[in-house]
Amino acid sequence: MPAVWRLIVDGPAEGAWNMALDRAVLDGRRQGTSPPTLRLYRWVRPTVTLGRFQKLEQVDLDECAARGFGVVRRPTGGRGVLHDDELTY
């Protein structure tokens, strides 16, 4: 039998909230308590997400603050990504 997927469509939120929900979905999948999930969401302000193992020193935090960018770490790997006027999944 094919898996039943869950679709979550969220409105704009702060980076910390978006990453906390992504983490909760990931944890639920790992524990087998959540179905496969596609989550669509937006950002209330430009936000840099850092990869799980990326060094914070690689980001100019003063420049981000001066531009009004949020900075948050995501549960997945990779390098920093600037999210702005976009739909993220």
Coordinates of all heavy atoms in Angstrom, one line a residue:
M1 N 0.8 -1.2 0.0 CA 0.0 0.0 0.0 C 0.9 1.2 0.0 O 1.8 1.3 0.8 CB -0.9 0.0 1.2 CG -1.7 1.2 1.3 SD -3.0 1.6 2.3 CE -3.4 0.5 3.5
P2 N 0.6 2.2 -0.9 CA 1.4 3.4 -0.9 C 1.3 4.3 0.4 O 0.2 4.2 1.0 CB 0.9 4.2 -2.1 CG -0.4 3.6 -2.4 CD -0.5 2.2 -1.9
A3 N 2.3 5.0 0.7 CA 2.3 5.8 1.9 C 1.3 7.0 1.7 O 1.2 7.5 0.6 CB 3.7 6.4 2.2
V4 N 0.7 7.4 2.8 CA -0.2 8.5 2.8 C 0.7 9.7 3.3 O 1.3 9.6 4.4 CB -1.4 8.3 3.8 CG1 -2.2 9.6 3.9 CG2 -2.2 7.1 3.3
W5 N 0.7 10.8 2.5 CA 1.5 11.9 2.8 C 0.7 13.0 3.5 O -0.5 13.1 3.4 CB 2.1 12.5 1.5 CG 3.3 11.8 1.0 CD1 3.3 10.6 0.5 CD2 4.6 12.3 1.0 NE1 4.6 10.2 0.1 CE2 5.4 11.3 0.4 CE3 5.2 13.5 1.4 CZ2 6.8 11.4 0.3 CZ3 6.6 13.6 1.2 CH2 7.3 12.6 0.7
R6 N 1.4 13.8 4.3 CA 0.8 14.9 5.0 C 1.3 16.2 4.4 O 2.5 16.3 4.1 CB 1.2 14.9 6.5 CG 0.8 16.1 7.3 CD 1.1 16.0 8.7 NE 2.5 15.8 9.0 CZ 3.1 15.8 10.2 NH1 2.3 15.9 11.2 NH2 4.4 15.5 10.3
L7 N 0.3 17.1 4.1 CA 0.7 18.4 3.5 C 0.4 19.5 4.6 O -0.7 19.5 5.2 CB -0.2 18.7 2.3 CG 0.0 20.1 1.7 CD1 1.4 20.4 1.2 CD2 -1.0 20.3 0.6
I8 N 1.5 20.3 4.9 CA 1.3 21.4 5.8 C 1.6 22.7 5.0 O 2.7 22.8 4.4 CB 2.3 21.3 7.0 CG1 2.1 20.0 7.8 CG2 2.2 22.5 7.9 CD1 3.1 19.7 8.9
V9 N 0.7 23.6 5.0 CA 0.9 24.9 4.4 C 0.8 25.9 5.5 O -0.3 26.1 6.1 CB -0.2 25.1 3.3 CG1 0.0 26.5 2.6 CG2 -0.2 24.0 2.2
D10 N 1.9 26.5 5.7 CA 2.0 27.5 6.8 C 2.2 28.9 6.2 O 2.7 29.1 5.1 CB 3.2 27.3 7.7 CG 3.0 26.1 8.7 OD1 1.9 25.9 9.1 OD2 4.0 25.5 9.0
G11 N 1.8 29.9 7.0 CA 2.0 31.3 6.6 C 3.4 31.8 6.9 O 4.2 31.0 7.5
P12 N 3.7 33.0 6.7 CA 5.0 33.5 7.0 C 5.3 33.5 8.5 O 4.4 33.7 9.3 CB 5.0 35.0 6.6 CG 3.8 35.0 5.6 CD 2.9 34.0 6.0
A13 N 6.5 33.1 8.9 CA 6.9 33.0 10.3 C 8.4 33.4 10.4 O 9.1 33.5 9.4 CB 6.7 31.6 10.8
E14 N 8.8 33.7 11.7 CA 10.2 33.9 12.0 C 11.0 32.7 11.7 O 10.5 31.5 11.8 CB 10.4 34.4 13.4 CG 9.9 35.7 13.7 CD 10.8 36.8 13.1 OE1 12.0 36.6 12.8 OE2 10.3 38.0 13.1
G15 N 12.3 32.9 11.4 CA 13.2 31.8 11.1 C 13.3 30.7 12.2 O 13.3 29.5 11.9
A16 N 13.3 31.1 13.5 CA 13.4 30.1 14.6 C 12.2 29.2 14.6 O 12.3 28.0 14.8 CB 13.6 30.9 15.9
W17 N 11.0 29.8 14.3 CA 9.8 29.0 14.3 C 9.8 28.0 13.1 O 9.5 26.9 13.3 CB 8.6 29.9 14.2 CG 7.3 29.2 14.1 CD1 6.5 29.0 13.0 CD2 6.6 28.5 15.2 NE1 5.4 28.2 13.3 CE2 5.4 27.9 14.6 CE3 6.9 28.3 16.5 CZ2 4.5 27.2 15.4 CZ3 6.0 27.6 17.3 CH2 4.8 27.0 16.7
N18 N 10.2 28.5 11.9 CA 10.3 27.7 10.8 C 11.2 26.5 11.0 O 10.9 25.4 10.6 CB 10.7 28.5 9.5 CG 9.5 29.2 8.9 OD1 8.4 28.9 9.1 ND2 9.8 30.4 8.3
M19 N 12.4 26.8 11.6 CA 13.3 25.7 11.8 C 12.9 24.7 12.9 O 13.1 23.5 12.8 CB 14.7 26.3 12.1 CG 15.3 27.0 10.9 SD 15.5 26.0 9.4 CE 14.0 26.5 8.5
A20 N 12.2 25.3 13.9 CA 11.7 24.4 14.9 C 10.6 23.4 14.4 O 10.6 22.2 14.7 CB 11.1 25.2 16.1
L21 N 9.8 23.9 13.5 CA 8.8 23.0 12.9 C 9.4 22.0 12.0 O 9.1 20.8 12.0 CB 7.7 23.8 12.1 CG 6.7 24.5 13.0 CD1 5.8 25.4 12.2 CD2 5.9 23.5 13.8
D22 N 10.4 22.5 11.2 CA 11.2 21.5 10.4 C 11.8 20.4 11.2 O 11.8 19.2 10.9 CB 12.2 22.2 9.5 CG 11.7 22.8 8.3 OD1 10.5 22.7 8.0 OD2 12.5 23.5 7.5
R23 N 12.4 20.8 12.3 CA 13.0 19.9 13.2 C 12.0 18.9 13.8 O 12.3 17.7 13.9 CB 13.7 20.6 14.4 CG 14.5 19.7 15.3 CD 15.5 18.9 14.5 NE 16.2 17.9 15.4 CZ 17.5 17.7 15.4 NH1 18.2 18.5 14.6 NH2 18.0 16.8 16.1
A24 N 10.8 19.4 14.2 CA 9.8 18.5 14.7 C 9.3 17.5 13.7 O 9.1 16.3 14.0 CB 8.6 19.4 15.2
V25 N 9.2 17.9 12.5 CA 8.8 17.0 11.4 C 9.9 16.0 11.2 O 9.6 14.7 11.1 CB 8.5 17.8 10.1 CG1 8.3 16.8 8.9 CG2 7.2 18.6 10.2
L26 N 11.1 16.4 11.1 CA 12.2 15.5 11.0 C 12.3 14.5 12.1 O 12.4 13.2 11.9 CB 13.5 16.2 10.9 CG 14.8 15.4 10.8 CD1 14.8 14.6 9.5 CD2 16.0 16.3 10.8
D27 N 12.2 14.9 13.4 CA 12.2 14.0 14.5 C 11.0 13.0 14.5 O 11.2 11.9 14.8 CB 12.2 14.8 15.8 CG 13.5 15.6 16.1 OD1 14.5 15.3 15.4 OD2 13.4 16.5 17.0
G28 N 9.9 13.5 14.1 CA 8.7 12.6 14.0 C 8.9 11.5 13.0 O 8.5 10.4 13.2
R29 N 9.5 11.9 11.9 CA 9.8 10.9 10.8 C 10.8 9.8 11.4 O 10.7 8.6 11.2 CB 10.3 11.5 9.5 CG 9.3 12.2 8.8 CD 8.2 11.3 8.2 NE 8.7 10.3 7.4 CZ 8.3 9.0 7.3 NH1 7.3 8.7 8.0 NH2 8.8 8.2 6.5
R30 N 11.9 10.3 12.0 CA 12.9 9.4 12.6 C 12.3 8.5 13.6 O 12.8 7.3 13.7 CB 14.0 10.2 13.2 CG 14.9 10.9 12.2 CD 16.1 11.6 12.8 NE 17.0 12.1 11.9 CZ 17.8 13.1 12.1 NH1 17.8 13.7 13.2 NH2 18.6 13.6 11.1
Q31 N 11.4 9.0 14.4 CA 10.8 8.1 15.4 C 9.6 7.3 14.9 O 9.1 6.5 15.7 CB 10.3 9.0 16.6 CG 11.4 9.8 17.3 CD 10.9 10.9 18.2 OE1 9.7 11.0 18.4 NE2 11.8 11.7 18.7
G32 N 9.2 7.5 13.7 CA 8.2 6.8 13.1 C 6.8 7.2 13.6 O 5.8 6.4 13.4
T33 N 6.7 8.4 14.1 CA 5.4 8.9 14.7 C 4.7 9.8 13.7 O 3.6 10.3 14.0 CB 5.6 9.6 16.0 OG1 6.5 10.6 15.9 CG2 6.1 8.6 17.1
S34 N 5.3 10.2 12.6 CA 4.8 11.2 11.7 C 4.8 10.6 10.3 O 5.8 9.9 9.9 CB 5.5 12.5 11.7 OG 5.4 13.1 12.9
P35 N 3.8 10.9 9.5 CA 3.8 10.4 8.1 C 4.8 11.2 7.2 O 5.3 12.2 7.6 CB 2.4 10.6 7.6 CG 1.9 11.8 8.4 CD 2.6 11.6 9.7
P36 N 5.1 10.7 6.0 CA 5.9 11.5 5.1 C 5.2 12.9 5.0 O 4.0 12.9 4.9 CB 5.9 10.7 3.8 CG 5.6 9.3 4.2 CD 4.7 9.4 5.4
T37 N 6.0 13.9 5.0 CA 5.4 15.3 5.1 C 6.0 16.2 4.1 O 7.2 16.3 3.9 CB 5.6 15.9 6.5 OG1 5.0 15.0 7.4 CG2 5.0 17.2 6.6
L38 N 5.2 17.0 3.4 CA 5.6 18.1 2.6 C 5.1 19.4 3.3 O 3.9 19.5 3.5 CB 5.0 18.0 1.2 CG 5.3 19.3 0.3 CD1 6.8 19.5 0.1 CD2 4.6 19.1 -1.1
R39 N 6.0 20.2 3.7 CA 5.7 21.5 4.4 C 6.1 22.6 3.5 O 7.2 22.7 3.0 CB 6.4 21.5 5.7 CG 6.1 22.8 6.5 CD 6.6 22.8 7.9 NE 6.4 24.1 8.5 CZ 7.4 25.0 8.6 NH1 8.7 24.7 8.4 NH2 7.2 26.2 9.1
L40 N 5.1 23.5 3.2 CA 5.4 24.7 2.5 C 5.2 25.9 3.4 O 4.3 26.0 4.2 CB 4.3 24.9 1.3 CG 4.2 23.7 0.4 CD1 3.1 23.8 -0.5 CD2 5.5 23.5 -0.4
Y41 N 6.2 26.8 3.3 CA 6.2 28.0 4.3 C 6.9 29.2 3.7 O 7.6 29.1 2.7 CB 6.7 27.6 5.6 CG 8.1 27.0 5.7 CD1 9.2 27.8 6.0 CD2 8.3 25.7 5.5 CE1 10.5 27.3 6.0 CE2 9.6 25.1 5.5 CZ 10.7 26.0 5.8 OH 11.9 25.4 5.9
R42 N 6.7 30.3 4.4 CA 7.4 31.6 4.0 C 8.1 32.2 5.2 O 8.0 31.7 6.3 CB 6.3 32.5 3.4 CG 5.6 31.9 2.2 CD 4.6 32.8 1.6 NE 5.2 33.9 0.9 CZ 5.6 33.9 -0.4 NH1 5.6 32.8 -1.0 NH2 6.2 34.9 -0.9
W43 N 8.7 33.3 5.0 CA 9.5 34.0 6.0 C 8.9 35.4 6.2 O 8.6 36.1 5.2 CB 10.9 34.1 5.5 CG 11.5 32.8 5.1 CD1 11.3 32.1 3.9 CD2 12.2 31.9 5.9 NE1 11.9 30.9 3.9 CE2 12.5 30.7 5.2 CE3 12.7 32.0 7.2 CZ2 13.2 29.7 5.6 CZ3 13.5 30.9 7.7 CH2 13.7 29.8 6.9
V44 N 8.9 35.9 7.5 CA 8.4 37.2 7.7 C 9.4 38.3 7.4 O 9.0 39.4 7.2 CB 7.9 37.4 9.2 CG1 6.7 36.6 9.5 CG2 9.0 37.2 10.2
R45 N 10.7 37.9 7.4 CA 11.7 38.8 7.0 C 12.9 38.0 6.4 O 13.0 36.8 6.6 CB 12.2 39.6 8.2 CG 12.9 38.8 9.3 CD 13.3 39.6 10.5 NE 13.7 38.8 11.6 CZ 14.8 39.1 12.3 NH1 15.5 40.2 12.1 NH2 15.1 38.4 13.3
P46 N 13.8 38.7 5.7 CA 14.9 37.9 5.1 C 15.6 37.2 6.3 O 15.9 37.8 7.3 CB 15.8 39.0 4.5 CG 14.8 40.1 4.2 CD 13.8 40.1 5.3
T47 N 16.0 36.0 6.0 CA 16.7 35.2 7.1 C 17.7 34.3 6.4 O 17.5 33.6 5.4 CB 15.6 34.3 7.8 OG1 14.6 35.1 8.4 CG2 16.3 33.4 8.9
V48 N 18.9 34.3 7.1 CA 20.0 33.4 6.7 C 19.8 32.1 7.5 O 19.8 32.1 8.7 CB 21.4 34.0 6.9 CG1 22.5 33.0 6.5 CG2 21.5 35.3 6.1
T49 N 19.7 30.9 6.8 CA 19.8 29.7 7.5 C 21.1 29.1 7.3 O 21.6 29.0 6.2 CB 18.7 28.7 7.0 OG1 18.9 28.4 5.7 CG2 17.3 29.3 7.3
L50 N 21.7 28.7 8.5 CA 23.1 28.1 8.4 C 22.9 26.6 8.4 O 22.0 26.0 9.1 CB 23.9 28.5 9.6 CG 24.1 30.0 9.9 CD1 24.8 30.2 11.2 CD2 24.8 30.6 8.7
G51 N 23.8 25.9 7.7 CA 23.8 24.4 7.7 C 24.1 23.9 9.1 O 24.8 24.6 9.9
R52 N 23.7 22.7 9.4 CA 23.8 22.1 10.7 C 25.2 22.2 11.2 O 25.5 22.4 12.4 CB 23.3 20.7 10.6 CG 23.4 19.9 12.0 CD 22.8 18.6 11.9 NE 22.9 17.9 13.1 CZ 22.5 16.7 13.4 NH1 22.0 16.0 12.4 NH2 22.6 16.1 14.5
F53 N 26.2 21.9 10.4 CA 27.6 21.9 10.9 C 28.4 23.1 10.4 O 29.6 23.2 10.7 CB 28.3 20.6 10.3 CG 27.6 19.4 10.8 CD1 26.9 18.6 9.9 CD2 27.7 19.0 12.1 CE1 26.2 17.5 10.3 CE2 27.0 17.8 12.5 CZ 26.3 17.1 11.6
Q54 N 27.8 24.1 9.9 CA 28.5 25.3 9.4 C 28.9 26.2 10.6 O 28.2 26.3 11.6 CB 27.6 26.2 8.5 CG 28.3 27.4 7.9 CD 27.4 28.1 6.9 OE1 26.2 27.8 6.7 NE2 27.9 29.2 6.4
K55 N 30.1 26.7 10.5 CA 30.7 27.5 11.6 C 30.0 28.9 11.6 O 29.9 29.6 10.5 CB 32.2 27.7 11.4 CG 32.9 26.4 11.7 CD 34.4 26.7 11.6 CE 35.3 25.6 12.0 NZ 35.1 24.3 11.5
L56 N 29.5 29.4 12.7 CA 28.9 30.6 12.8 C 29.8 31.8 12.4 O 29.4 32.8 11.9 CB 28.4 30.8 14.3 CG 27.6 32.1 14.6 CD1 26.3 32.1 13.7 CD2 27.3 32.1 16.1
E57 N 31.1 31.6 12.6 CA 32.1 32.6 12.2 C 32.1 32.9 10.7 O 32.7 33.9 10.3 CB 33.5 32.2 12.7 CG 33.6 32.1 14.2 CD 33.1 30.8 14.7 OE1 33.0 29.7 14.0 OE2 32.6 30.8 15.9
Q58 N 31.5 32.0 9.9 CA 31.5 32.2 8.5 C 30.5 33.2 8.0 O 30.4 33.6 6.9 CB 31.3 30.9 7.8 CG 32.4 29.9 7.9 CD 32.1 28.6 7.3 OE1 30.9 28.1 7.3 NE2 33.1 27.9 6.7
V59 N 29.7 33.7 9.0 CA 28.6 34.7 8.7 C 28.9 36.0 9.4 O 29.3 36.0 10.5 CB 27.2 34.1 9.2 CG1 26.2 35.2 8.9 CG2 26.9 32.8 8.5
D60 N 28.8 37.1 8.7 CA 28.9 38.4 9.2 C 27.7 38.8 10.0 O 26.7 39.4 9.4 CB 29.3 39.4 8.1 CG 29.7 40.8 8.7 OD1 29.2 41.1 9.8 OD2 30.3 41.5 7.9
L61 N 27.6 38.5 11.3 CA 26.4 38.8 12.0 C 26.1 40.2 12.2 O 24.9 40.6 12.2 CB 26.5 38.1 13.4 CG 26.7 36.6 13.5 CD1 26.9 36.1 14.9 CD2 25.4 36.0 12.8
D62 N 27.1 41.1 12.2 CA 26.8 42.5 12.3 C 26.2 43.0 11.0 O 25.2 43.8 11.1 CB 28.2 43.3 12.5 CG 28.7 43.1 13.9 OD1 27.9 42.7 14.8 OD2 29.9 43.2 14.1
E63 N 26.6 42.5 9.9 CA 26.0 42.9 8.6 C 24.6 42.4 8.5 O 23.7 43.1 8.0 CB 26.9 42.4 7.4 CG 26.4 42.9 6.1 CD 26.5 44.4 5.8 OE1 27.2 45.1 6.5 OE2 25.7 44.9 4.9
C64 N 24.4 41.2 8.9 CA 23.0 40.7 8.9 C 22.1 41.5 9.8 O 21.0 41.9 9.4 CB 23.0 39.2 9.4 SG 23.7 38.0 8.2
A65 N 22.6 41.9 11.0 CA 21.7 42.7 11.9 C 21.5 44.1 11.2 O 20.4 44.6 11.3 CB 22.4 42.9 13.2
A66 N 22.5 44.7 10.6 CA 22.4 46.0 10.0 C 21.3 46.0 8.9 O 20.6 46.9 8.7 CB 23.7 46.5 9.5
R67 N 21.2 44.8 8.2 CA 20.3 44.7 7.1 C 18.9 44.2 7.6 O 18.0 44.1 6.8 CB 20.8 43.8 6.0 CG 22.0 44.3 5.3 CD 22.6 43.3 4.3 NE 23.7 43.8 3.6 CZ 23.6 44.3 2.4 NH1 22.5 44.3 1.7 NH2 24.7 44.7 1.8
G68 N 18.8 43.9 8.9 CA 17.5 43.4 9.4 C 17.3 41.9 9.1 O 16.1 41.4 9.1
F69 N 18.3 41.2 8.8 CA 18.2 39.7 8.4 C 18.2 38.9 9.7 O 19.0 39.1 10.6 CB 19.4 39.2 7.6 CG 19.5 39.8 6.2 CD1 20.5 39.5 5.4 CD2 18.5 40.7 5.7 CE1 20.6 40.0 4.1 CE2 18.6 41.2 4.4 CZ 19.6 40.9 3.6
G70 N 17.4 37.9 9.8 CA 17.5 36.9 10.9 C 18.5 35.9 10.5 O 18.9 35.8 9.4
V71 N 19.1 35.3 11.5 CA 20.0 34.2 11.4 C 19.6 33.0 12.2 O 19.4 33.2 13.4 CB 21.5 34.7 11.7 CG1 22.5 33.5 11.6 CG2 21.9 35.9 10.9
V72 N 19.5 31.9 11.6 CA 19.1 30.7 12.4 C 19.8 29.4 11.8 O 20.2 29.5 10.6 CB 17.6 30.6 12.3 CG1 17.1 30.3 10.9 CG2 17.0 29.5 13.3
R73 N 19.9 28.4 12.6 CA 20.5 27.2 12.1 C 19.4 26.2 11.7 O 18.4 26.1 12.4 CB 21.4 26.6 13.2 CG 22.2 25.4 12.7 CD 23.3 24.9 13.6 NE 24.2 26.0 14.0 CZ 25.3 26.3 13.2 NH1 25.5 25.8 12.1 NH2 26.1 27.3 13.7
R74 N 19.6 25.5 10.6 CA 18.6 24.5 10.2 C 19.1 23.1 10.5 O 20.3 22.9 10.7 CB 18.3 24.7 8.7 CG 19.4 24.4 7.8 CD 19.0 24.6 6.3 NE 20.1 24.3 5.5 CZ 21.1 25.1 5.1 NH1 21.0 26.4 5.5 NH2 22.1 24.8 4.4
P75 N 18.2 22.2 10.6 CA 18.6 20.8 11.0 C 19.3 20.0 10.0 O 19.8 18.9 10.2 CB 17.3 20.1 11.4 CG 16.3 20.9 10.7 CD 16.8 22.3 10.5
T76 N 19.4 20.5 8.7 CA 20.1 19.8 7.7 C 21.5 20.4 7.4 O 21.8 21.5 7.9 CB 19.3 19.9 6.4 OG1 19.0 21.2 6.0 CG2 17.9 19.1 6.6
G77 N 22.3 19.8 6.6 CA 23.6 20.2 6.3 C 23.6 21.3 5.2 O 22.6 21.9 4.8
G78 N 24.8 21.5 4.7 CA 25.0 22.5 3.7 C 25.5 23.8 4.2 O 25.9 24.0 5.4
R79 N 25.6 24.8 3.3 CA 26.1 26.1 3.7 C 24.9 27.1 3.8 O 23.8 26.7 3.6 CB 27.0 26.6 2.6 CG 28.2 25.7 2.5 CD 29.3 26.2 1.5 NE 29.6 27.6 1.8 CZ 30.7 28.0 2.4 NH1 31.6 27.1 2.8 NH2 31.0 29.2 2.6
G80 N 25.2 28.3 4.2 CA 24.2 29.3 4.4 C 23.4 29.6 3.2 O 23.9 29.6 2.1
V81 N 22.1 29.9 3.5 CA 21.1 30.2 2.4 C 20.4 31.4 2.9 O 19.9 31.5 4.0 CB 20.2 29.0 2.1 CG1 19.1 29.4 1.1 CG2 20.9 27.8 1.7
L82 N 20.2 32.4 2.0 CA 19.4 33.6 2.3 C 18.0 33.3 1.8 O 17.8 33.2 0.6 CB 20.0 34.9 1.7 CG 19.1 36.1 1.9 CD1 18.9 36.5 3.3 CD2 19.8 37.3 1.1
H83 N 17.0 33.3 2.7 CA 15.6 33.2 2.3 C 15.0 34.6 2.4 O 15.2 35.3 3.4 CB 14.9 32.2 3.3 CG 15.6 30.9 3.4 ND1 15.3 29.9 2.5 CD2 16.5 30.4 4.2 CE1 16.0 28.8 2.8 NE2 16.7 29.1 3.8
D84 N 14.2 34.9 1.4 CA 13.5 36.2 1.4 C 12.1 36.0 0.9 O 11.3 35.4 1.5 CB 14.4 37.2 0.6 CG 13.9 38.7 0.9 OD1 12.9 38.9 1.6 OD2 14.5 39.6 0.3
D85 N 11.9 36.6 -0.3 CA 10.5 36.5 -0.9 C 10.4 35.3 -1.7 O 10.6 35.2 -2.9 CB 10.3 37.8 -1.8 CG 8.9 37.9 -2.3 OD1 8.0 37.3 -1.7 OD2 8.7 38.6 -3.3
E86 N 10.1 34.2 -1.0 CA 10.1 32.8 -1.6 C 9.1 31.9 -0.9 O 8.7 32.2 0.2 CB 11.5 32.2 -1.6 CG 11.9 31.9 -0.1 CD 13.3 31.4 -0.1 OE1 14.3 32.0 -0.6 OE2 13.5 30.2 0.5
L87 N 8.8 30.8 -1.5 CA 8.1 29.7 -0.9 C 9.1 28.6 -0.7 O 9.8 28.2 -1.6 CB 7.0 29.2 -1.8 CG 6.1 28.1 -1.3 CD1 5.4 28.5 -0.1 CD2 5.2 27.6 -2.4
T88 N 9.2 28.2 0.6 CA 10.2 27.2 1.0 C 9.5 25.9 1.2 O 8.4 25.8 1.7 CB 11.0 27.7 2.2 OG1 11.5 28.9 1.9 CG2 12.1 26.7 2.6
Y89 N 10.2 24.8 1.0 CA 9.7 23.5 1.3 C 10.7 22.6 2.0 O 11.9 22.9 1.9 CB 9.2 22.7 0.0 CG 10.2 22.5 -1.0 CD1 10.9 21.3 -1.0 CD2 10.6 23.5 -1.9 CE1 11.9 21.1 -2.0 CE2 11.5 23.3 -2.9 CZ 12.2 22.1 -2.9 OH 13.2 21.8 -3.9

